[in-house]
Amino acid sequence: TYVARPGGVARLPENPRTGESVMIVVEQESLSSPAVISFTGEKLFGLEEDLVLDCLAVFRLTYAGARTGWVNGPVPAEKSGSESFLP
Protein backbone atom coordinates (compact mmCIF):
# COMPACT_ATOMS: atom_id res chain seq x y z
CA THR A 1 0.00 0.00 0.00
CA TYR A 2 1.29 3.44 -0.97
CA VAL A 3 -0.12 6.41 0.92
CA ALA A 4 0.53 9.58 -1.07
CA ARG A 5 2.38 12.26 0.87
CA PRO A 6 2.65 15.90 -0.24
CA GLY A 7 5.27 16.12 -2.99
CA GLY A 8 6.09 12.43 -2.68
CA VAL A 9 7.36 10.24 -5.51
CA ALA A 10 6.46 6.55 -5.62
CA ARG A 11 8.01 3.86 -7.75
CA LEU A 12 6.05 0.76 -8.67
CA PRO A 13 7.67 -2.67 -8.34
CA GLU A 14 10.36 -3.49 -10.89
CA ASN A 15 9.78 -6.49 -13.17
CA PRO A 16 6.14 -6.98 -12.09
CA ARG A 17 4.26 -10.20 -12.79
CA THR A 18 0.92 -10.08 -14.59
CA GLY A 19 -1.75 -9.78 -11.90
CA GLU A 20 0.56 -8.14 -9.34
CA SER A 21 -1.18 -5.21 -7.64
CA VAL A 22 -0.45 -2.20 -5.45
CA MET A 23 -3.00 -0.30 -3.36
CA ILE A 24 -2.84 3.53 -3.68
CA VAL A 25 -4.34 5.94 -1.13
CA VAL A 26 -4.42 9.67 -1.86
CA GLU A 27 -5.29 11.71 1.23
CA GLN A 28 -6.41 15.33 1.63
CA GLU A 29 -2.98 16.54 2.79
CA SER A 30 -1.32 15.62 -0.51
CA LEU A 31 -3.64 17.74 -2.68
CA SER A 32 -1.76 20.99 -2.05
CA SER A 33 1.43 19.44 -3.45
CA PRO A 34 0.41 16.31 -5.39
CA ALA A 35 2.42 13.12 -5.14
CA VAL A 36 3.57 11.33 -8.30
CA ILE A 37 3.93 7.72 -9.34
CA SER A 38 6.99 7.82 -11.54
CA PHE A 39 7.12 6.15 -14.95
CA THR A 40 9.80 3.48 -14.74
CA GLY A 41 9.45 1.73 -18.09
CA GLU A 42 6.07 0.05 -17.53
CA LYS A 43 3.05 1.99 -18.82
CA LEU A 44 0.63 3.65 -16.40
CA PHE A 45 -2.92 3.48 -17.76
CA GLY A 46 -1.44 2.83 -21.20
CA LEU A 47 0.75 5.96 -21.13
CA GLU A 48 4.51 6.32 -20.89
CA GLU A 49 4.55 9.18 -18.37
CA ASP A 50 4.30 9.89 -14.65
CA LEU A 51 0.91 9.66 -12.95
CA VAL A 52 0.10 12.76 -10.87
CA LEU A 53 -2.09 11.98 -7.86
CA ASP A 54 -4.09 15.20 -7.69
CA CYS A 55 -7.49 14.06 -6.36
CA LEU A 56 -8.75 12.14 -3.32
CA ALA A 57 -8.78 8.46 -4.16
CA VAL A 58 -8.32 4.90 -3.00
CA PHE A 59 -7.59 2.50 -5.84
CA ARG A 60 -5.55 -0.47 -6.87
CA LEU A 61 -3.08 -0.54 -9.74
CA THR A 62 -2.81 -3.98 -11.32
CA TYR A 63 -0.12 -5.01 -13.77
CA ALA A 64 -1.86 -6.25 -16.92
CA GLY A 65 1.25 -7.17 -18.92
CA ALA A 66 3.89 -5.36 -20.98
CA ARG A 67 1.52 -4.13 -23.68
CA THR A 68 -0.92 -2.36 -21.32
CA GLY A 69 1.16 -1.88 -18.17
CA TRP A 70 -0.48 -0.81 -14.91
CA VAL A 71 -4.27 -0.34 -14.92
CA ASN A 72 -6.98 0.35 -12.34
CA GLY A 73 -8.74 -2.79 -11.28
CA PRO A 74 -8.98 -5.86 -9.13
CA VAL A 75 -6.92 -8.99 -9.47
CA PRO A 76 -8.70 -12.33 -9.54
CA ALA A 77 -7.73 -14.26 -6.40
CA GLU A 78 -6.32 -17.17 -8.40
CA LYS A 79 -3.79 -14.83 -10.07
CA SER A 80 -2.79 -12.65 -7.14
CA GLY A 81 -2.04 -15.25 -4.51
CA SER A 82 -3.16 -12.75 -1.89
CA GLU A 83 -6.36 -11.44 -0.44
CA SER A 84 -8.23 -8.52 -1.94
CA PHE A 85 -7.83 -4.98 -0.56
CA LEU A 86 -11.09 -3.69 -2.04
CA PRO A 87 -14.57 -5.26 -2.12
Side-chain angles (χ1 to χ4, degrees):
T1 300
Y2 171 71
V3 178
R5 303 283 183 227
V9 177
R11 295 178 63 94
L12 293 170
E14 292 183 27
N15 304 312
R17 295 181 326 272
T18 299
E20 186 171 346
S21 66
V22 176
M23 187 73 156
I24 308 293
V25 179
V26 183
E27 296 180 335
Q28 180 73 33
E29 299 81 36
S30 68
L31 297 182
S32 61
S33 178
V36 171
I37 297 176
S38 65
F39 172 71
T40 58
E42 299 293 343
K43 294 178 182 176
L44 294 163
F45 295 102
L47 302 174
E48 295 179 349
E49 59 188 51
D50 294 346
L51 175 63
V52 178
L53 304 173
D54 59 359
C55 64
L56 295 176
V58 175
F59 64 99
R60 179 186 4 236
L61 286 176
T62 302
Y63 187 68
R67 178 176 221 166
T68 306
W70 293 92
V71 297
N72 184 29
V75 179
E78 67 273 9
K79 286 188 179 180
S80 70
S82 62
E83 60 186 66
S84 174
F85 289 104
L86 295 176

